[in-house]
Amino acid sequence: MKVGITLPLAEYPGKQPSYDEIRALARQAEVAGFDSLWCFDHLLFREDGEPAEGIWECWTTLSALAEATSRIQLGTLVLCTAFRNPAVLAKMAVTLDSISNGRLILGLGAGWHRPEFEAFGIDFDHRVARFEEAVHIIASLLRTGKAEFDGRHSWVHGGELRPRGVRPAGPPLLIGGSGPRMLRATARHADLWNGCWFGDPAGFVPALHAVRVACTAAGRDPSTLRVTVGVNVVPGVPAGPPDPRRPVLSGTPADLAAGFAGYRDLGADHLVCNLNPHHAAAQRALAEALRRYRSEPGPTEEGPVR
């Protein structure tokens, strides 16, 4: 099982990080042996009666990190298809995948935070329908280099990607979502699925079951869909009673390593750890948990339960 880490792009829970700080954390994670770096895609956060919180733009940041790093995979968790024209987004993806020498994981989602849509003049209605059309166009362009589509919300006539990039089928496509229509789109189009945000591995079981059922209903072997899971992690804090509003995996490095193994044994292919707050010391503590996880015996010859 691969283990990755999200990067802090937003003001919450403290000051807005500079790009230099984000880059330093990315490089530290690569040296520490993490498998992937992930950026959230938002434009701002605004709750009723509260001041807005800012965030750096995801794709620009990720593009810079493609040059700042050399080995680690780069992912979006997840890119909101409503924010960018889908055909142009496919073009952006093969370009960044080439710049990074095949390290991109293209994570896509429908978005959920209405205030940022309104603040930037983006339609919030029919989000899932718009997503379904966008992912159809993106998948077709990435995998075949061409697309022809007339939808209610999106269209392409004679769509073509040239050049094709460093991978014949483009970067792997990840979909994040848990609703029935998002799971159907996952079963139809995705190479990977992301469920989030969880703490203890036991909380992940219902979501994992739902995506496997969706694959079976679509006539797809669930084992062909790689599973990524987002986990809120707080190193060094003793595990307390579960909080359903914000599940957290916490404790010593040994506790965290045991949690990682629990996700592996459920069948997760890739763990994405969300540190909050995320600073150099917290990341070093997480890296120690990663070292412990990798030093312990793996699953039996039969492999993880799927």
Side-chain angles (χ1 to χ4, degrees):
M1 182 183 72
K2 293 182 178 181
V3 179
I5 192 167
T6 65
L7 288 170
L9 270 61
E11 288 178 280
Y12 179 84
K15 69 178 183 67
Q16 182 81 48
S18 68
Y19 174 68
D20 285 347
E21 291 169 322
I22 295 167
R23 180 180 58 190
L25 289 170
R27 287 178 165 173
Q28 177 177 294
E30 183 170 54
V31 170
F34 286 97
D35 295 295
S36 56
L37 298 169
W38 301 80
C39 290
F40 300 124
D41 187 34
H42 285 282
L43 304 175
L44 60 74
F45 300 98
R46 181 182 290 151
E47 301 295 342
D48 290 343
E50 299 291 334
E53 293 174 350
I55 183 169
W56 295 121
E57 196 275 326
C58 169
W59 198 264
T60 309
T61 305
L62 203 65
S63 299
L65 292 174
E67 273 291 309
T69 59
S70 60
R71 174 198 61 80
I72 200 163
Q73 287 185 288
L74 306 169
T76 54
L77 201 68
V78 284
L79 214 65
C80 179
T81 56
F83 294 170
R84 302 164 187 87
N85 174 281
V88 175
L89 177 54
K91 182 76 168 179
M92 294 162 60
V94 297
T95 303
L96 181 51
D97 198 43
S98 295
I99 291 170
S100 66
N101 195 27
R103 291 187 285 137
L104 176 65
I105 301 172
L106 183 61
L108 302 176
W112 58 271
H113 189 49
R114 185 170 194 145
E116 65 184 336
F117 282 71
E118 295 176 345
F120 283 80
I122 300 167
D123 291 324
F124 190 74
D125 64 304
H126 306 294
R127 285 181 304 116
V128 178
R130 293 177 187 275
F131 174 82
E132 290 168 331
E133 293 187 3
V135 76
H136 177 91
I137 293 169
I138 293 166
S140 179
L141 284 169
L142 291 181
R143 289 168 180 158
T144 72
K146 296 184 179 181
E148 195 72 33
F149 183 77
D150 276 293
R152 179 179 177 186
H153 307 287
S154 300
W155 58 268
V156 287
H157 297 158
E160 187 171 5
L161 281 185
R162 295 180 65 87
R164 294 282 289 118
V166 295
R167 290 189 270 189
L173 186 61
L174 176 150
I175 292 178
S178 59
R181 291 170 67 187
M182 294 298 287
L183 292 179
R184 284 197 295 271
T186 297
R188 182 178 180 185
H189 296 291
D191 301 298
L192 306 95
W193 168 77
N194 178 262
C196 60
W197 293 98
F198 299 95
D200 185 86
F204 181 54
V205 172
L208 182 60
H209 175 72
V211 74
R212 289 173 173 167
V213 168
C215 285
T216 301
R220 176 175 180 174
D221 180 352
S223 69
T224 66
L225 180 70
R226 284 175 285 164
V227 172
T228 76
V229 53
V231 181
N232 291 313
V233 182
V234 181
V237 176
D243 182 352
R245 295 170 300 177
R246 188 176 184 270
V248 171
L249 181 65
S250 60
T252 65
D255 295 330
L256 299 182
F260 294 176
Y263 280 104
R264 176 202 64 205
D265 293 345
L266 287 174
D269 299 288
H270 204 138
L271 203 65
V272 181
C273 299
N274 180 39
L275 286 170
N276 199 350
H278 186 165
H279 48 74
Q283 191 189 107
R284 285 193 293 270
L286 186 63
E288 173 60 20
L290 176 64
R291 187 193 66 77
R292 286 174 176 260
Y293 163 71
R294 288 179 172 162
S295 68
E296 294 173 356
T300 63
E301 290 183 336
E302 289 76 18
V305 177
R306 292 189 178 274

